[in-house]
Amino acid sequence: MSESMNVAAKKIADKMVADADKLKLIASTLSNGTLVIDCGVNAKGSIKGGELFTKVCLGGICDVGISIPGDLSDIMAMPAVKVKTDFPALTTLGSQKAGWKIEVDDYFAMASGPAQTHKFKNDEIYAMTNYTEDSDIAVITLEANELPNEKVAQFIADECGVKTDNLTILVAPTASLVGSIQISGRALEVGIYKMYEVMDFDVTKITYAAGITPITPVDPDNLKAMGKTNDAIIFGGRTYYYIEPDEGESLEELATNLPSSSSENYGKSFLEFFEEADGDFYKIPKEVFAPAQVIVNDMVTGEMFHTGSIDLERLKKSFEVKEVKFL
């Protein structure tokens, strides 16, 4: 990568500020110079704002769009988030992964975005993908119910080794339109995460990747919203991975064990897993995080493996769909 992900993400964030009124966002600057973009706490947010927020999560080096409809079946079609990337391992595990739990006094947030390249600069994923962060700016996205104050911004800046006036923070609650969109945009990430963390697969062999997931209906209850947004991926996320395996290496087993339905715990809602983990998101079993449907293209042999399926009934149950019938 010739361009820093933080620099790429900053360009998107600055565009969001310039179009804040149109995107229904609220931009403000803290007294220490940190730029904060409210995408759903006090701001209404927007579909386009969710698309751009998702792109920032991925470090800016990807394509994100909204498909209307994103067809799940002939029975129920919904708007969906589409993500495409030519740098799958780097954009997902190196930026989008919510690998940083922010806790400052009573403030809590799950953090994503390219600021993690500063915080976790010695993480193996950057060595594997030959990525070096050489910028002096940091862009971070927070899944949080409140906006950060100066103390939170100072903490993040210090952890990233940047000045507070070189820090940009985007915030969206789970229970918001932007929150629904950015979480539904994580189907690729959870599949690659499972390959890397659970299946011990060399994710640098993934050359290209694409995915599509229905946008979760907005629920004002944060707990229920968290359950629905993750169920959208587990029961409704579709992913496509183009992989260049080593000579003689079969991808059939990888594909077979990748979708969510391959887990022995499949069928539980995300909230059930959350309750079993005593309300700690980071204690949920790693294999739970997986897309519903997977297609793996072996770019050496030309073989294609299709596994998993959309679980419409479980998705409808999670989304609390009420079928309205006309007489």
Side-chain angles (χ1 to χ4, degrees):
M1 280 300 302
S2 59
E3 183 179 42
S4 155
M5 288 197 289
N6 282 286
V7 171
K10 177 62 172 169
K11 292 177 182 177
I12 299 168
D14 287 344
K15 177 66 173 174
M16 293 170 77
V17 172
D19 295 338
D21 288 343
K22 184 169 63 176
L23 297 173
K24 299 182 180 179
L25 311 177
I26 300 173
S28 60
T29 302
L30 299 177
S31 62
N32 60 9
T34 295
L35 173 63
V36 176
I37 306 176
D38 178 359
C39 301
V41 179
N42 299 312
K44 287 288 187 182
S46 60
I47 293 173
K48 186 65 176 182
E51 178 184 314
L52 295 173
F53 190 104
T54 305
K55 194 166 184 176
V56 169
C57 286
L58 284 151
I61 49 173
C62 59
D63 290 314
V64 178
I66 305 298
S67 173
I68 303 176
D71 192 25
L72 292 180
S73 72
D74 294 331
I75 301 171
M76 186 176 76
M78 297 177 63
V81 185
K82 301 182 295 183
V83 175
K84 295 173 286 183
T85 176
D86 296 328
F87 302 92
L90 177 61
T91 55
T92 58
L93 302 185
S95 185
Q96 189 182 28
K97 185 179 75 171
W100 188 1
K101 182 164 58 174
I102 304 290
E103 293 179 294
V104 180
D105 295 334
D106 294 330
Y107 189 84
F108 174 80
M110 290 191 293
S112 298
Q116 295 182 106
T117 62
H118 291 295
K119 163 68 175 176
F120 303 113
K121 60 184 177 182
N122 294 321
D123 191 285
E124 183 183 29
I125 194 65
Y126 303 119
M128 291 171 59
T129 55
N130 297 313
Y131 181 82
T132 301
E133 180 60 52
D134 56 7
S135 73
D136 61 356
I137 63 174
V139 182
I140 193 168
T141 63
L142 302 182
E143 186 179 338
N145 300 325
E146 299 177 14
L147 297 176
N149 58 22
E150 284 81 357
K151 189 172 183 179
V152 174
Q154 186 68 61
F155 170 78
I156 295 172
D158 288 345
E159 291 293 302
C160 291
V162 301
K163 297 178 180 178
T164 53
D165 56 2
N166 280 344
L167 174 65
T168 298
I169 304 175
L170 288 74
V171 189
T174 312
S176 69
L177 177 60
V178 171
S180 289
I181 292 171
Q182 73 93 2
I183 297 174
S184 287
R186 293 175 179 271
L188 282 182
E189 176 210 332
V190 298
I192 295 174
Y193 175 83
K194 184 173 181 179
M195 289 188 217
Y196 183 62
E197 292 284 349
V198 179
M199 306 174 76
D200 196 29
F201 181 74
D202 180 358
V203 292
T204 63
K205 296 177 183 178
I206 311 170
T207 306
Y208 317 105
I212 184 169
T213 304
I215 297 173
T216 310
V218 179
D219 193 313
D221 183 304
N222 275 291
L223 184 62
K224 289 172 65 179
M226 181 181 64
K228 291 179 180 181
T229 51
N230 284 280
D231 284 345
I233 297 171
I234 295 169
F235 301 129
R238 291 176 284 171
T239 55
Y240 196 117
Y241 302 102
Y242 299 76
I243 301 177
E244 295 185 77
D246 294 333
E247 185 176 352
E249 179 184 14
S250 173
L251 297 178
E252 184 171 1
E253 183 178 354
L254 175 78
T256 300
N257 294 312
L258 190 53
S260 55
S261 55
S262 67
S263 169
E264 62 181 16
N265 292 313
Y266 180 75
K268 293 182 181 180
S269 70
F270 188 82
L271 282 184
E272 289 179 279
F273 287 116
F274 188 69
E275 290 169 1
E276 291 173 2
D278 296 322
D280 189 336
F281 182 90
Y282 292 92
K283 290 182 180 179
I284 294 173
K286 294 178 180 178
E287 65 270 13
V288 169
F289 299 95
Q293 190 176 64
V294 174
I295 292 176
V296 172
N297 176 197
D298 184 325
M299 297 178 68
V300 174
T301 66
E303 292 177 299
M304 186 175 77
F305 304 98
H306 174 228
T307 58
S309 61
I310 301 302
D311 196 328
L312 187 60
E313 291 310 309
R314 285 192 171 93
L315 202 60
K316 282 185 174 183
K317 182 179 180 181
S318 174
F319 287 0
E320 299 179 291
V321 174
K322 294 183 179 180
E323 300 286 0
V324 179
K325 299 185 182 297
F326 294 97
L327 296 177

